[in-house]
Amino acid sequence: MKIKRLKKVQKNLSFFVNNYKFRKPYQILIDGTFSFAALQNKFNIKEQLAKYFQADVKLLTTQCIIVETEKLGHKVYGAMLIVKQFPIHQCGHEKNTVTGSKCLRSMVGSNNESRYVIATQDRLLQEQLKKIPGVPIMYLHGRTPTLEAPSQKSREFAEQIRSKVTMTDMQEERIKSLKEQFGLKSDITMQPKKKHKKSGPNPLSCKRSQKKESNSMIHTSEHKVNESGKVRKRKRIKLPAHVKEVLKLNTHS
Ligand SMILES: [Zn+2]
């Protein structure tokens, strides 16, 4: 059972790590109701939550939550003592404190930018927090801590982000393939190669004649042909155009 439960926590946690950039140490905001349930069930918050998350956790509370438990009097005296153990996180209501649930809602805001895990037994608050994407909610089920599975809102919003990312990826791919279709990429790579080829032949054309002369049997036969008709030799020698014209003029005159 225990291993199964820990796997479930890790699965739910990794959802928030992967989709909402939650990082260790996880910040857990603890309210009066959670402290009250912990006291009733003899649940050691500090020890047990670190074990449950298998990570360093920062347990925090707010001035509003402390004041609320103080106001509730002797019935929640023990819970108040527990809450007061935790470092007080600034909530902005220090001058005019609000109810614990209102305080936590404002801490989370519209997108839980500071990435709090909210530990509360308050069902109404839980329902409200489920409507905000990226808010992990935990509560005590008897002595068993439970990190709720990501809310529908959290899952939908994460899916939206993912689909946006894949859309831009697809667009990039499309642009790439279009570039290739229009030969924008291949032009850049091909042109220098062509240039090399073009620049090559000119000096090589001169060498070719040398090679042919120094090479095998074919050349001897060529030589024979050449010897028989001198016209061929003339053709082989590449004369500049202006020289050719002058020669032509000379032969005509
Ligand atoms: Zn507050």
Side-chain angles (χ1 to χ4, degrees):
M1 273 296 282
K2 270 195 175 178
I3 292 165
K4 208 177 175 184
R5 203 202 310 156
L6 290 176
K7 273 187 180 175
K8 205 177 173 186
V9 184
Q10 291 309 313
K11 189 190 163 197
N12 289 339
L13 256 182
S14 65
F15 171 87
F16 290 102
V17 169
N18 295 331
N19 295 294
Y20 292 96
K21 296 176 181 172
F22 275 67
R23 295 288 178 266
K24 293 170 192 174
Y26 303 116
Q27 299 187 99
I28 307 174
L29 276 172
I30 293 167
D31 78 349
T33 62
F34 190 85
S35 300
F36 187 74
L39 183 66
Q40 278 191 322
N41 295 291
K42 292 175 184 169
F43 178 85
N44 186 320
I45 296 175
K46 267 186 190 175
E47 273 180 26
Q48 296 300 316
L49 288 193
K51 273 186 194 172
Y52 182 66
F53 283 100
Q54 292 180 283
D56 282 337
V57 289
K58 249 189 196 174
L59 304 176
L60 302 163
T61 194
T62 68
Q63 190 64 42
C64 299
I65 288 163
I66 290 172
V67 170
E68 189 181 49
T69 55
E70 282 173 349
K71 278 181 185 170
L72 288 169
H74 69 276
K75 280 182 189 171
V76 294
Y77 181 76
M80 181 196 75
L81 290 180
I82 290 170
V83 153
K84 279 187 174 178
Q85 292 175 355
F86 307 125
I88 297 166
H89 203 50
Q90 282 200 335
C91 63
H93 317 118
E94 281 75 15
K95 284 181 182 173
N96 295 302
T97 56
V98 294
T99 63
S101 61
K102 202 175 175 186
C103 180
L104 290 178
R105 278 203 306 276
S106 81
M107 294 283 279
V108 165
S110 62
N111 59 354
N112 197 15
E113 204 181 337
S114 299
R115 298 177 183 92
Y116 300 117
V117 178
I118 306 295
T120 183
Q121 303 293 105
D122 185 339
R123 284 284 176 87
L124 187 65
L125 177 61
Q126 286 174 6
E127 289 308 313
Q128 289 165 340
L129 293 175
K130 281 177 192 174
K131 289 169 188 164
I132 301 160
V135 188
I137 298 160
M138 73 168 311
Y139 56 86
L140 282 177
H141 183 72
R143 294 187 68 173
T144 310
T146 308
L147 180 71
E148 278 214 345
S151 68
Q152 196 182 338
K153 190 79 184 174
S154 287
R155 280 185 278 117
E156 281 173 3
F157 194 75
E159 192 56 46
Q160 273 179 31
I161 294 166
R162 249 181 263 149
S163 65
K164 270 183 193 172
V165 170
T166 50
M167 269 299 284
T168 53
D169 281 354
M170 279 168 70
Q171 281 166 350
E172 264 182 40
E173 280 301 310
R174 250 176 236 164
I175 291 164
K176 265 187 194 174
S177 69
L178 278 172
K179 273 185 179 175
E180 280 171 7
Q181 276 176 34
F182 286 103
L184 289 171
K185 264 196 167 180
S186 59
D187 266 1
I188 297 159
T189 52
M190 286 302 279
Q191 271 177 352
K193 280 181 186 173
K194 277 180 184 172
K195 273 178 188 172
H196 280 299
K197 277 178 186 173
K198 277 177 185 172
S199 64
N202 283 337
L204 279 171
S205 67
C206 301
K207 280 182 185 175
R208 251 182 221 161
S209 62
Q210 285 173 357
K211 273 182 189 171
K212 276 177 185 175
E213 277 170 14
S214 63
N215 265 348
S216 67
M217 293 292 285
I218 306 156
H219 292 283
T220 54
S221 66
E222 270 185 6
H223 272 288
K224 277 174 188 172
V225 177
N226 289 343
E227 276 166 19
S228 64
K230 282 182 180 177
V231 193
R232 273 212 161 188
K233 261 192 178 177
R234 274 179 196 168
K235 270 186 183 176
R236 272 197 174 184
I237 299 159
K238 279 191 177 176
L239 293 169
H242 67 277
V243 177
K244 273 183 187 173
E245 271 174 32
V246 172
L247 283 169
K248 271 181 189 173
L249 284 170
N250 285 341
T251 50
H252 281 292
S253 65

